Amino acid sequence: MTAPPAEPKEHRALRQIEQPPKISVKARLKNLRYEIPSTILGVLLFFLVILPIIFIVIAAFSTAVPRPGNAEVGSFTWANFAVLGTPEGIQSIINSLIIGAGAGILSLLIGAVLAFIAARTDAPWKRFIYITGIAPMFLPALVGALAWSILASPTAGHLNLFLEAIGIGSALNIYSYAGIIFVLGLYYAPYAFMLTYSSFSMMNADLEEAASVHGASLGRLFRTVTLPLSIPALAGAAILCFTLAMENFPVNAILGNPAGIETLPTYIYRLMTGDSQPNQAAGIAVALTLAVIVVTWFQQRVVNRKRFTTLTGKGNRPRPVPLRWLRWVATGFAMLYFLFSVVLPIGALIFTAMSKKVYVNTFADLFSGFSLDRIVEALSQADFQQSTTNSIIMALLAAGIGTIVAFMASYVRFRTTSKAGQLLEQVSMLPLAIPQVVLGMGILWGWLVLPFPVFGTLLLLVIATIAVNMPQGYRSVSSSMLQMDSDLEHSAVMLGANRLRALKDVTVPLMRTGLVSTLLLLLMLGLREMSAVLFVYTSDTRVLSILVFHSFENGSISYSAAISLIFVLLIAIVAVATQVIGIREKKAQAKTN
C-alpha cells in the first residue's frame, strides 16, 4: 500500500493562512468586557420599553391583568378583541380614522405652505413666518383645546358672543368633528413645518433652473419639479400628523366627549377607568398600535419607491420664488395662522382667568372688568402648588436621566463596535410606533408586578416620561454625535488617556451644545406630558397637565384657564432658554473657530 503524496509546502502555508486565528480565553474575556455597557443599557431599555409592550400583549390575550404582588393573568382568550366589533368599537375606529385623516391633511397643508413660504419665496417678514411655523409647539394641544372650547363653544363661546353682538348669531361649534380636526390641525402643523422646511430649503437649484430654461411656467415648475422632489418630506409629515392625531387623547377628550365623539384613545380611557374592562382596553391598544405600525410601514414604502436626491456637492441654493402681488398674501396667511393658534387661545385664557365675571352671557361682559384675584387664588391652592412642584421635579429628572440614557445608546451605536448597537437604536426608537396612552398602560401593569416600590411615587411618572420621549432624546443626541469626528476621541486615547477620560474630557465637552439642547427639549416635553402618565399618577403625584384636564372635566373653567396660563408660562421659559443657550453656543463656537 503506497503512502499518500506529501502536501506541497505552498499549499500547506496557504491553508494555514486561510484558517482564522484562534482567540485566546483572555481575549474573549476582554471582548466580553466591552459588551458590558451595552448589556446594562439593553436591560435598562428592556424595562423602559419592551416590558410594558409585553404586558399589554399578555393582557390583550388573557382573562385578567397583573396585580401588585401577583403576576397571574388568567387563561388565554381571543374574546378581548370582540370589543372592536361592537357598535361602540366600530364607531370609535371610524371616528379615529376621520379625525386622523382630516387633521393630517389640514396640518400638512398649513405646515407645508408655511415652510414653502419661509424657505423658497420672497415674502416679507420671513423670520416672523419661520417663528410662526414653530411657535404653536410651545402651547400644548391640551391647553389649545381648552382655549378653543372657551372661544367656540356653541352656548357661551367668546367668538359666538361676538357674532351675536354683530347680528350673525352663534355659528361656531367646536364640539364637533370639524372642531376637533381644526384644533388638531393647528397644533400638529408645526411638525409638518419642520419636516418640510429643510426639504424645501436644501433643494437643488439646477433642477428648477433647467425647467425654467425649457419654458416651464411658475405653476408648472412647482407641480412637475418642486412638489415631486418633496414627496419624502410631505409623505413623512402626513403620516406623522395622521398618527399623532389618531393617538391623541386630550384634544379628543376635551372636545369630543361633550359631542359624544369617542375615538380609540378615549375609548381605551373609558374602559380602563369607567367600565373596569382593562383586558378589552388592552385589545384595543394592540389593534391601535398595529394600525400605527402598518401606516408607518406604508409611508416607508412610498418614500423608498424612487430616488429623491436633491442636494449635491455643488453648494448651490434654490432661487427665491417671486410671488409678485401675492407676497403680502403669503405673509397674511402666516399672520392668520399665528392669530388662530397663539393669539386667540392665549387671549381667551387671559380673559377667562382675569375677568371679574365667572359667567359671561354677552360679548360686553368680557370687558366688564379685570382682576388678578383668580390667578392669585389659583397660586395659593395646595393642589396647584403640589402639582407644579411634581411637574418640575418630574420634568427635571426625566430630562436629566433621559439625556444620559440617550447619550449612552447613541455612543454604543456610533462610537463602539458592539453588536448590540443597532438593536439598541431600534428599541430606543420603538415608542414612536406606540401610542402614548398604550405605553402608559403597559408601564402601569409592568411596574405593578416588578418587586420595586415605585408605584404611587413620582419615580413611576419619571419612568413613563423617559420611555415615551426616548425617540426624541436619542435622535437629538445622535444628530450631534454624528456631526463630531470620532478621530478626536481616538487621538486622546492614543495619547494615553483611557476611554472614560477621553469621553469626559473630549466627547462630552464637544457635544455640550447638543446635550444641553436635548436636555431642554426633554424638559419641555416632560412638562407637557399627559397621556403617558394618565394611568400611573396618584393624588399625591398629580402633575399640572392632569390638574388642567381634571379641572376642566369638573367644570372649573376659570380655574383651568388660570392654571393653563401658568403652565404655558413655564413651557415658554424653557423654550426661550433653549433659544438663548443655542445662540450663545453658536457665538462661542464662532469665536473658537
Side-chain angles (χ1 to χ4, degrees):
M1 185 174 182
T2 59
E7 183 180 12
K9 292 182 178 180
E10 295 82 359
H11 292 183
R12 187 165 60 251
L14 183 61
R15 180 167 52 81
Q16 291 176 353
I17 293 174
E18 290 176 349
Q19 290 179 351
K22 292 183 178 180
I23 302 176
S24 64
V25 176
K26 184 178 180 180
R28 289 180 184 272
L29 291 176
K30 187 176 181 180
N31 292 336
L32 185 62
R33 186 184 65 182
Y34 292 147
E35 294 293 336
I36 292 177
S38 60
T39 302
I40 296 174
L41 184 59
V43 172
L44 182 60
L45 289 176
F46 173 82
F47 283 106
L48 282 174
V49 179
I50 302 298
L51 186 66
I53 298 174
I54 293 174
F55 273 95
I56 292 169
V57 175
I58 291 174
F61 291 95
S62 303
T63 56
V65 295
R67 301 294 180 188
N70 181 17
E72 296 294 330
V73 292
S75 57
F76 176 84
T77 180
W78 289 95
N80 296 325
F81 293 94
V83 68
L84 292 168
T86 62
E88 290 180 328
I90 294 173
Q91 189 60 51
S92 66
I93 294 173
I94 295 173
N95 292 342
S96 294
L97 291 174
I98 292 173
I99 291 171
I105 294 171
L106 180 60
S107 57
L108 178 64
L109 288 174
I110 296 174
V113 170
L114 285 175
F116 183 77
I117 294 172
R120 297 300 315 278
T121 70
D122 60 348
W125 299 0
K126 291 178 69 172
R127 181 63 179 170
F128 165 77
I129 296 172
Y130 180 84
I131 294 174
T132 296
I134 62 174
M137 289 193 68
F138 309 131
L139 190 70
L142 164 68
V143 176
L146 169 64
W148 273 99
S149 70
I150 296 172
L151 283 167
S153 65
T155 54
H158 294 178
L159 293 180
N160 280 323
L161 294 178
F162 171 73
L163 294 176
E164 288 181 354
I166 61 176
I168 296 178
S170 299
L172 304 176
N173 182 10
I174 202 67
Y175 304 128
S176 60
Y177 287 104
I180 298 173
I181 290 171
F182 173 74
V183 172
L184 287 172
L186 284 181
Y187 294 102
Y188 286 142
Y191 295 92
F193 175 86
M194 290 188 299
L195 287 175
T196 56
Y197 179 83
S198 59
S199 175
F200 286 128
S201 60
M202 294 190 300
M203 195 166 291
N204 191 347
D206 289 345
L207 303 173
E208 294 178 329
E209 291 291 345
S212 299
V213 168
H214 287 83
S217 63
L218 194 61
R220 186 175 182 183
L221 185 148
F222 179 78
R223 292 192 309 270
T224 59
V225 179
T226 306
L227 189 60
L229 289 174
S230 304
I231 285 178
L234 294 173
I239 296 300
L240 175 63
C241 295
F242 171 77
T243 53
L244 288 174
M246 268 196 67
E247 67 183 47
N248 179 277
F249 171 79
V251 174
N252 288 316
I254 289 177
L255 302 182
N257 286 346
I261 301 173
E262 195 167 50
T263 60
L264 288 174
T266 56
Y267 194 23
I268 290 173
Y269 179 74
R270 179 163 68 86
L271 290 175
M272 283 286 291
T273 58
D275 297 347
S276 297
Q277 298 180 29
N279 293 96
Q280 287 80 356
I284 299 175
V286 169
L288 179 58
T289 303
L290 289 176
V292 172
I293 292 174
V294 169
V295 170
T296 305
W297 171 83
F298 178 75
Q299 179 256 339
Q300 293 296 325
R301 286 290 302 272
V302 171
V303 171
N304 294 331
R305 285 174 62 184
K306 294 172 60 179
R307 287 187 61 198
F308 296 94
T309 303
T310 62
L311 183 63
T312 66
K314 296 182 179 180
N316 53 0
R317 294 179 59 86
R319 64 185 179 111
V321 176
L323 295 180
R324 301 182 181 88
W325 62 273
L326 290 174
R327 293 174 67 247
W328 283 103
V329 174
T331 303
F333 174 78
M335 295 174 66
L336 190 66
Y337 173 66
F338 189 72
L339 174 70
F340 283 122
S341 61
V342 177
V343 176
L344 285 178
I346 295 296
L349 295 177
I350 293 174
F351 273 86
T352 304
M354 298 181 61
S355 176
K356 287 185 177 181
K357 288 191 175 182
V358 178
Y359 301 102
V360 178
N361 297 316
T362 63
F363 188 68
D365 291 341
L366 293 174
F367 305 93
S368 59
F370 299 96
S371 172
L372 294 173
D373 293 344
R374 201 168 291 120
I375 294 179
V376 173
E377 182 183 356
L379 290 171
S380 63
Q381 294 289 330
D383 57 351
F384 170 78
Q385 295 173 0
Q386 184 180 20
S387 298
T388 304
T389 303
N390 290 340
S391 290
I392 294 173
I393 294 174
M394 183 199 75
L396 287 172
L397 289 175
I401 299 172
T403 301
I404 294 172
V405 174
F407 175 80
M408 292 170 59
S410 181
Y411 187 85
V412 171
R413 172 65 178 89
F414 298 109
R415 289 291 187 268
T416 70
T417 58
S418 174
K419 298 178 180 179
Q422 290 187 353
L423 178 61
L424 293 177
E425 181 180 43
Q426 293 172 0
V427 175
S428 299
M429 299 300 294
L430 187 59
L432 279 179
I434 305 171
Q436 293 182 351
V437 171
V438 174
L439 195 58
M441 290 171 53
I443 290 171
L444 168 67
W445 291 329
W447 290 88
L448 276 175
V449 173
L450 291 174
F452 303 115
V454 298
F455 185 76
T457 67
L458 203 59
L459 182 58
L460 188 56
L461 277 72
V462 173
I463 292 170
T465 305
I466 294 172
V468 297
N469 293 328
M470 188 66 201
Q472 289 84 352
Y474 176 82
R475 190 159 45 191
S476 178
V477 173
S478 296
S479 63
S480 298
M481 186 167 290
L482 289 172
Q483 291 175 358
M484 189 189 73
D485 196 336
S486 60
D487 290 344
L488 300 171
E489 184 179 327
H490 295 330
S491 299
V493 174
M494 292 178 63
L495 292 172
N498 58 40
R499 182 63 62 176
L500 185 61
R501 184 175 179 182
L503 184 67
K504 178 175 69 71
D505 294 341
V506 178
T507 305
V508 172
L510 289 174
M511 290 184 59
R512 182 181 61 180
T513 302
L515 292 175
V516 171
S517 298
T518 302
L519 179 70
L520 293 173
L521 170 65
L522 294 181
L523 180 60
M524 186 176 66
L525 293 175
L527 287 172
R528 295 166 51 121
E529 189 54 54
M530 175 183 166
S531 298
V533 303
L534 197 60
F535 300 123
V536 300
Y537 80 95
T538 63
S539 58
D540 294 328
T541 59
R542 184 167 52 184
V543 291
L544 270 177
S545 57
I546 299 294
L547 181 62
V548 171
F549 177 67
H550 283 171
S551 299
F552 177 81
E553 276 196 324
N554 295 331
S556 303
I557 306 299
S558 57
Y559 183 51
S560 298
I563 301 171
S564 297
L565 281 176
I566 303 169
F567 189 24
V568 172
L569 181 62
L570 285 175
I571 296 174
I573 291 173
V574 176
V576 172
T578 304
Q579 297 296 320
V580 171
I581 291 176
I583 293 172
R584 286 183 178 178
E585 291 295 333
K586 288 181 179 179
K587 290 182 178 178
Q589 289 181 354
K591 290 180 180 179
T592 304
N593 296 332

